[in-house]
Amino acid sequence: MRIFRYLENSLSYLGVMTEDGDSYRLDAPDLMTLVANARTAGLTTAAYVGTMLGSLSPIGAPTETLQLTTPLDAPEVWAAGVTYQRSREARNYEATEGRLDADTFYDKVYEAERPELFMKSTAARTVGPGEAVCLRSDSSWQVPEAELGLVLDSSGAIIGYTAGNDMSCRDIEGENPLYLPQAKIWKRSCSIGPFVRLAETVADPYALSIACRIYRDGALVVDETAHTGLLKRKLEELVSFLKRDNELFDGTVLLTGTCLVPPNQFTLASGDRIEIEIEGIGTLVNTVISTHELDMAPNQA
């Protein structure tokens, strides 16, 4: 069961897609209100929605034709780094200018008890499906990072799963690890969506395939696949460190790291189309725009 949001006549609505592919409009204004209503009724969110399906109005259009937005307004998006061996290898390549025989601090992060966690985005900086992600103007080596996102409540409970794009500047991070915030955080550097798959409907979050495809001028130039079973750390472990001596807010999203890295010679260009697909969740599609183009057209979506 997947939750989504869409716009119709400039109004935002919450929707649900069932396992049969049927979509219905929900009465709740947002995902976290839906979760709270389910808890008041003493039910899981999926079970609560199930009790209402007979009285809900079908959405009279295919989901792919709707104007989808972020599935929720995440007050904060956090991210975990170096949680997959593939990410470790890529970070080492950046830090050593291509030497593969040198140990770096990324090896230490990968093996450490404490994971790397950093603030990635806020609601104002996060875009949804169909919107444009932005290239940073002072970087010449930028890539998307396809990641499984955890949707959390204020206690750290995993409400659901979504797809996320942690846009990254490999040259800035490789130059100096203390530049990480600038390598990760700028306007439109994060996207999430298009759905939130309710956690209770996912049998095994470590058995999800992930794909990242990038198209340039209509041609497929990057096609990478992997799966969440390669994740070194448990999801609950990442959450436990995020909430340690920290305040979480309902709807916080935690991106869990990437297992997909484009070839080292690849960098994004304006006009590229990024597709991040996670099994059972959906495909997050964004186009790429330069900062200059975005500044010239501030309402660009």
Side-chain angles (χ1 to χ4, degrees):
M1 188 173 286
R2 296 180 288 176
I3 306 298
F4 59 93
R5 286 195 309 178
Y6 65 103
L7 296 178
E8 187 176 283
N9 298 324
S10 301
L11 297 177
S12 177
Y13 297 98
L14 197 68
V16 58
M17 178 181 286
T18 67
E19 299 304 317
D20 295 329
D22 299 321
S23 295
Y24 301 88
R25 180 179 293 180
L26 294 166
D27 292 332
D30 56 66
L31 172 60
M32 298 314 297
T33 298
L34 182 70
V35 171
N37 291 344
R39 288 175 174 170
T40 299
L43 298 170
T44 67
T45 307
Y48 178 70
V49 172
T51 65
M52 298 187 295
L53 285 179
S55 61
L56 294 177
S57 300
I59 297 174
T63 306
E64 57 268 22
T65 67
L66 299 176
Q67 186 179 351
L68 299 179
T69 69
T70 55
L72 76 164
D73 291 324
E76 295 177 347
V77 179
W78 292 75
V82 202
T83 54
Y84 289 88
Q85 175 64 21
R86 182 68 186 92
S87 179
R88 176 192 196 179
E89 293 167 354
R91 302 293 85 79
N92 280 342
Y93 185 93
E94 298 158 10
T96 63
E97 298 183 342
R99 288 180 55 202
L100 301 179
D101 59 346
D103 291 335
T104 74
F105 51 87
Y106 290 114
D107 295 296
K108 185 175 182 179
V109 170
Y110 186 76
E111 299 294 347
E113 176 186 2
R114 181 187 297 273
E116 176 193 11
L117 294 171
F118 56 91
M119 173 74 79
K120 171 62 186 179
S121 189
T122 59
R125 294 180 176 88
T126 304
V127 301
E131 294 188 274
V133 290
C134 189
L135 295 173
R136 191 177 174 105
S137 63
D138 57 355
S139 170
S140 59
W141 190 11
Q142 300 182 64
V143 296
E145 294 191 3
E147 307 194 13
L148 177 69
L150 313 180
V151 180
L152 309 174
D153 68 8
S154 59
S155 74
I158 301 174
I159 301 302
Y161 304 98
T162 192
N165 180 1
D166 171 18
M167 293 280 286
S168 298
C169 300
R170 296 188 67 182
D171 50 350
I172 293 177
E173 182 175 0
E175 183 179 347
N176 189 320
L178 296 183
Y179 295 161
L180 180 66
Q182 295 173 83
K184 292 288 189 178
I185 306 169
W186 65 93
K187 57 189 175 185
R188 292 175 175 260
S189 64
C190 178
S191 63
I192 59 172
F195 301 97
V196 171
R197 178 73 180 261
L198 295 175
E200 60 268 28
T201 69
V202 177
D204 184 359
Y206 303 101
L208 304 177
S209 62
I210 302 180
C212 180
R213 298 179 292 269
I214 304 173
Y215 294 85
R216 180 168 296 167
D217 298 326
L220 182 63
V221 292
V222 172
D223 188 4
E224 302 281 342
T225 59
H227 58 88
T228 53
L230 299 171
L231 184 66
K232 183 176 188 293
R233 300 177 185 271
K234 295 298 184 183
L235 302 177
E236 291 77 12
E237 174 190 353
L238 294 174
V239 174
S240 72
F241 277 95
L242 178 62
K243 69 180 186 179
R244 182 178 296 186
D245 296 319
N246 189 20
E247 183 176 5
L248 298 184
F249 305 97
D250 281 341
T252 293
V253 171
L254 172 59
L255 303 180
T256 55
T258 191
C259 51
L260 299 172
V261 180
N264 291 322
Q265 68 273 18
F266 177 84
T267 187
L268 287 168
S270 179
D272 286 354
R273 172 187 171 97
I274 304 167
E275 296 183 357
I276 294 172
E277 181 178 5
I278 302 183
E279 179 184 3
I281 295 175
T283 303
L284 174 62
V285 180
N286 299 103
T287 54
V288 178
I289 191 171
S290 70
T291 301
H292 173 71
E293 292 170 312
L294 183 63
D295 290 341
M296 294 296 290
N299 294 322
Q300 174 74 33

